[in-house]
RNA sequence: GCCCGGGUGGCGGAAUGGCAGACGCGGCGGUCUCAAAAACCGCUACCGAAAGGUGUGCGGGUUCGAAUCCCGCUCCGGGCACCA
């Protein structure tokens, strides 16, 4: 017998697979399609353990799916634009492409060394002009459809990265990439109007049954839909006189989800950035303090802002508005707790029902009018039937934000209040009637800021012409190529590169300047999975027929950190391309697996600074790729965090080695290394053989089921159980005895084949080597074989051991025939616990066939 | 504050209404060996000498039966956050 030596077999089989083009995709196969995809990596260096885990899951799904009879598309590529390449280029005085392509080569070699089954002919590299030209093409399609906008507004600026960021890329006030504090700047930037799709992006989450609930929840929160109403307040003078026919300048609109609380509005607040604020206070005594507050709020950093629970600051503007529901005069304040870019940037303050307004009212001594109460509130009985205002002050220590009953609310008194309450509906209806309100919906989602002030990205295909304005680069002039002769280390940028900047206007032919911003890398990753379906197309990003045939992705696998970013943007792209007539489906990813992080043995994140990084290369060098793969899979459920420890890896290497020996023994080639130990008891030996037959069927069923649900850890546990049964069997029968008996021969061959096939997706080299050499199929590959079948009937034992419970506590066990009648089972159970039942009345006997008997006794 | 997860042996975990701790790691004991390693076998939730009892974060409930379902807490992790 040849001992198991991964270091010899793995490189040899990898070379064989490559020579045979074993994982090339078959187009137009009669088999049903399955698109298995892992999020493509950023080429930041060599792969780390997180990559090993992510891509191993994908490889198991791909290989298993092939064996199950699917035509599998399993491609790989690189998300190759981005800042790290630029930083490396500056450091090494080279070009970002050099660093990027070197890392791609390193990672590709590591992926091959792990035995991943990709169709390398379909590789997509995002910084390749043959790919990014189509990203530009898609940009033009978006532009045609009115989904591209260039506008000036306050944006997130990362000083360290020297570029603006999308909202989604700011994590608690810090840059997602470098963790620097983000600043607000007023800049003119390019946007994709993702908000046009906010409702559909929210609604279609319901279609995504194969997505983890938490990811859908996070997206729903991020989109943040609120139903409410816009309510118009009219500016009035200090005596409360408002113009009878107000013009646009006389109206301030607020968005509210709680129109039912309008009677409790005792002041009114504008955001410091509110557009009309200057005009309201210009030339008054209030101008100076208002200006001071506005300046102070600008200085608050994004990180501080993100901390929440900050002290609120505000000043009175000297102006008043009229509350449309009751005609009351309400003072207008400016305060830093109002968010400028949500709703209208103005809010009606109801301190009795809103904690923020309550805190502000307490601080500046503004009235708190109770207009909504719980029935158990001591105030409720006295305000129950009051129509006019009686109480205008309360001794509460916080607002009453829950649902309740409206009081002191004129005709609405007595109605239920709250979001979507009858009270709210009645008030909105009344406001609509008088032309002062309108039902509306607000989203938290902002448009996607896609322009970046960096070199290493996809150039935005636009030209600035002094006569024609900002115009698109015509399709036939794509791609707008990044200039290769650029010295980033010397501070050169696209904007200073004259050869790039200077061009002619595609409309009038006059001299013009190119747009020098590039696109967010997330635009590259929003459609690469479509490109894989038709990667060499030089006429279009992809042929719709091919994309529609392969898409949507059946199983997508990647990190939870993309729960919003990449996954939301990709859903948006898919919907827009569908509306362009290029796709006939709504959602790109049918099933999503978000893998948990790989941490060190103490549960710490692996990082260079902590010095706890585990190198996949070293692990593969010491134990072989198959053991690393299997150990990773066995560590726990894929979506949970994994604590990497080398003991588990060593254990897995032993298991592969033991199983190798068992397969050899079953195949009759173990020789001296046979596990046979001599079984003195022939009757027991027969039982061991019968058990092996049952286990062979049961375990195939269990492993199939587990793979279907991505439960890789329990699949391996089940294979270990089959291995344990095999071990018992091999100890019980000598190789000679087995060789002499046709029944044994058949069983041995079958179990050997089952073991090898079950392991094939997990340990592909180990399995293929055994398949080709020990099981006698030279030149063929186990990975092209059909998955083993099983017979659930054959998995059943003819006897069953049942637990006998008395009042739910196990008191005894009985062994009965599997087909024993309920009556017989009951009798056996009662007999087994007769001692416990002595002197007690049996009230009831519950028989659960095949499992247990519960006797209820008093 | 709101929204999601989660809490099971020394450790990773298994069991989604039916014998809690599958499978593995670690530990202990054994076989083999001059010895050790490797390999193989057995034991391994806790208390107890045993009989027996206790046990899935805590407290209640539903059920013949609850880690699993319901109610109330608590702790840990994640997301969002002055979003009106």
């Amino acid at each position: 017998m040849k001992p198991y030596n991964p270091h010899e077999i793995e490189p040899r089989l990898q070379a064989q697979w490559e020579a045979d083009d074993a994982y090339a995709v078959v187009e137009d196969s009669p088999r049903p399609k399955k698109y298995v995809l892992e999020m493509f990596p950023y080429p930041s260096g060599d792969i780390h353990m997180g990559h090993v885990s992510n891509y191993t899951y994908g490889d198991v799904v791909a290989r298993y799916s092939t064996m199950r009879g699917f035509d599998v598309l399993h491609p790989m590529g690189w998300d190759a634009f981005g800042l790290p390449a630029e930083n490396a280029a500056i450091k090494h005085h080279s070009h970002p492409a050099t660093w990027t392509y070197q890392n791609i080569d390193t990672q590709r070699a590591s992926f091959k060394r792990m035995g991943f089954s990709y169709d390398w002919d379909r590789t997509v590299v995002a910084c390749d002009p043959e790919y990014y030209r189509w990203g530009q093409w898609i940009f033009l399609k978006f532009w045609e459809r009115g989904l591209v906008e260039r506008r000036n507004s306050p944006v997130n600026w990362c000083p360290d990265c020297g570029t603006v960021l999308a909202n989604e890329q700011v994590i608690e006030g810090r840059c997602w990439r470098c963790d620097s504090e983000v600043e607000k700047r007023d800049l003119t930037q390019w946007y994709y109007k993702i908000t046009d799709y906010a409702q559909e992006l929210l609604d279609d989450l319901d279609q995504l049954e194969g997505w983890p609930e938490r990811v859908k929840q996070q997206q729903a929160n991020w989109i943040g839909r609120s139903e409410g109403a816009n309510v118009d307040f009219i500016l009035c003078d200090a005596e409360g006189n408002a113009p009878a026919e107000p013009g646009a300048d006389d109206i301030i609109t607020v968005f509210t989800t709680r129109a039912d609380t309008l009677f409790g509005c005792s002041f009114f607040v504008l955001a410091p950035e509110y557009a009309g604020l200057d005009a309201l206070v210009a030339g008054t005594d209030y101008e100076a303090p208002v200006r001071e507050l506005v300046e102070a709020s600008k200085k608050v950093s994004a990180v501080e802002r993100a901390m929440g629970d900050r002290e609120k600051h505000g000043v009175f503007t000297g102006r008043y508005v009229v509350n449309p529901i009751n005609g009351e005069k309400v003072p207008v304040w400016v305060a830093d707790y109002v968010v400028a870019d949500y709703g209208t940037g103005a809010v009606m303050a109801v301190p009795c029902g809103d904690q923020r307004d309550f805190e502000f009212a307490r601080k500046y001594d503004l009235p708190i009018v109770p207009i909504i109460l719980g029935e158990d509130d001591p105030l409720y009985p006295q305000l129950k039937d009051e129509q006019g205002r009686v109480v205008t002050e309360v001794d509460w220590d916080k607002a009453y934000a829950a649902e309740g009953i409206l009081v002191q609310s004129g005709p609405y008194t007595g109605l239920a209040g709250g979001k979507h309450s009858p009270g709210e509906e009645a008030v909105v209806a009344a406001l609509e009637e008088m032309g002062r309100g309108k039902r509306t919906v607000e989203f938290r989602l902002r448009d996607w800021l896609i322009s970046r002030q960096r070199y290493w990205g996809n150039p935005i295909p636009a030209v600035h012409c002094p006569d024609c304005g900002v115009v698109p680069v015509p399709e036939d002039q794509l791609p707008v190529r990044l200039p290769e002769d650029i010295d980033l280390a010397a501070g050169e940028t696209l904007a200073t590169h004259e050869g790039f900047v200077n061009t002619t206007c595609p409309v009038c032919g006059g001299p013009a300047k190119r747009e020098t911003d590039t696109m967010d890398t997330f635009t590259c990753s929003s459609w690469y999975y479509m490109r894989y379906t038709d990667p060499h197309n030089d006429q279009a990003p992809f042929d719709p027929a091919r994309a529609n045939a392969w898409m949507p992705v059946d199983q997508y696998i990647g990190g939870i950190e993309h729960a919003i970013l990449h996954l939301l943007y990709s859903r948006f792209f898919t919907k827009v391309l569908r509306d362009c007539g290029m796709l006939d489906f709504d959602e790109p990813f049918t099933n999503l697996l978000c893998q948990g992080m790989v941490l060190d043995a103490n549960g710490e994140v692996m990082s260079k600074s902590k010095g706890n990084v585990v190198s996949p290369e070293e692990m593969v060098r010491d134990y072989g790729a198959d053991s690393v793969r299997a150990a990773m899979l066995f560590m726990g459920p894929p979506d949970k965090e994994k604590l990497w420890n080398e003991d588990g890896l060593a254990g897995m290497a032993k298991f592969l080695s033991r199983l190798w020996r068992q397969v050899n023994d079953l195949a009759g080639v173990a020789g001296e290394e046979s596990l046979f130990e001599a079984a003195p008891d022939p009757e027991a030996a027969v039982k061991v053989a019968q058990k092996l037959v049952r286990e062979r069927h049961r375990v195939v069923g269990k492993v199939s089921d587990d793979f279907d649900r991505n439960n890789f850890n329990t699949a391996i546990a089940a294979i270990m159980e089959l291995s344990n049964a095999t071990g018992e069997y091999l100890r019980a029968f000598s190789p000679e005895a087995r060789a002499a008996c046709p029944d044994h021969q058949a069983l041995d061959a079958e179990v050997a084949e089952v073991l090898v096939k079950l392991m094939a997706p997990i340990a592909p080299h180990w399995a293929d080597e055994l398949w080709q050499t020990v099981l006698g199929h030279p030149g063929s590959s186990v990975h092209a074989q059909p998955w083993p079948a099983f017979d659930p009937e054959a998995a059943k034992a003819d006897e069953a051991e049942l637990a006998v419970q008395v009042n739910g506590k196990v008191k005894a066990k009985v062994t009965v025939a599997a087909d024993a009648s309920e009556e017989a089972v009951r009798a056996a159970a009662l007999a087994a616990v007769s001692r416990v039942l002595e002197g007690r009345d049996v009230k009831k006997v519950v028989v659960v066939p095949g499992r247990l008997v519960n006797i209820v006794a008093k």
Side-chain angles (χ1 to χ4, degrees), chain A residues 34 321 510 602 626:
Chain A
K34 190 156 201 172
V321 287
N602 302 316
D626 282 338

Side-chain angles (χ1 to χ4, degrees), chain A residues 322-610:
Chain A
V322 176
N323 183 341
I325 203 75
N326 58 8
E328 278 184 25
K329 182 187 77 171
V330 180
V332 178
W333 285 63
V334 189
D336 57 4
Y337 74 96
V338 176
V339 179
D341 63 351
Y342 182 78
T344 61
V347 299
M348 61 178 224
V350 182
C352 112
D354 183 284
Q355 187 57 24
R356 297 155 298 185
D357 298 341
F358 182 91
E359 286 165 15
F360 193 78
R362 276 285 185 250
K363 178 167 176 182
Y364 292 101
D365 205 20
L366 293 157
I368 298 170
V369 183
I371 46 82
I372 179 164
L373 298 170
E375 277 177 78
D376 54 355
D377 191 295
L379 268 180
Y380 180 67
Q382 51 166 306
L383 295 181
K384 195 167 181 277
D385 304 313
E386 290 293 343
Q387 297 284 309
R389 292 264 169 94
V390 177
V391 176
T392 56
E393 198 46 70
V394 288
D395 60 356
W396 302 347
D397 56 1
K398 64 171 204 252
Y400 181 78
E403 290 184 353
I405 299 186
L406 300 177
V407 295
Q408 307 201 102
S409 297
Y412 309 98
T413 297
L415 288 177
K419 286 188 180 178
H420 305 120
S421 64
E424 193 260 0
E425 276 167 28
V427 172
V428 173
L431 290 167
E432 284 186 322
E433 180 78 12
M434 65 177 93
R436 288 282 178 265
K438 197 168 183 306
R439 272 237 167 271
T440 187
V441 171
E442 280 290 332
F443 291 95
R444 218 192 63 100
L445 182 69
R446 294 280 157 274
D447 278 332
W448 176 11
L449 199 175
I450 57 155
S451 43
R452 297 289 178 272
Q453 293 69 53
R454 302 299 317 187
Y455 165 77
W456 193 233
N458 191 359
I460 292 176
V463 168
H464 299 261
C465 171
D467 296 323
C468 309
V470 184
V471 296
V473 173
E475 258 182 54
D476 59 10
Q477 291 177 25
L478 300 185
V480 176
R481 282 176 183 269
L482 282 174
E484 286 171 29
D485 56 330
I486 191 159
D487 188 352
L488 297 173
E492 220 179 331
T493 65
L494 278 184
T496 66
H497 190 288
E498 299 207 346
F500 179 79
V501 174
N502 294 319
T503 185
T504 52
C505 171
V507 178
C508 69
K513 305 276 187 196
R514 277 197 195 283
E515 170 62 53
T516 57
D517 281 358
T518 53
M519 288 186 237
D520 184 2
T521 57
F522 281 91
T523 62
C524 301
S525 54
S526 292
W527 69 281
Y528 75 104
Y529 44 90
M530 322 259 204
R531 182 68 179 175
Y532 282 138
T533 67
D534 191 13
H536 306 298
N537 195 326
D538 60 2
Q539 302 298 311
F542 51 84
D543 174 358
R546 288 197 181 230
N548 286 328
W550 280 111
M551 292 288 297
V553 172
D554 294 279
Q555 180 66 65
Y556 199 34
I557 304 174
I560 185 72
E561 68 274 17
H562 288 294
I564 292 170
L565 286 157
H566 163 60
L567 291 168
L568 187 65
Y569 296 148
S570 294
R571 296 180 61 222
F572 166 56
F573 260 57
T574 299
K575 290 174 193 303
V576 177
L577 292 174
R578 175 204 60 196
D579 291 345
C580 290
M582 296 176 68
L583 300 173
D584 62 9
F585 51 90
D586 301 324
E587 287 288 338
F589 312 123
T590 306
N591 294 292
L592 174 68
L593 173 62
C594 285
Q595 63 145 353
M597 291 238 289
V598 182
L599 307 173
D600 76 3
N602 302 316
E604 304 262 357
V605 176
M606 293 185 188
S607 73
K608 278 184 195 159
S609 56
K610 284 186 192 149

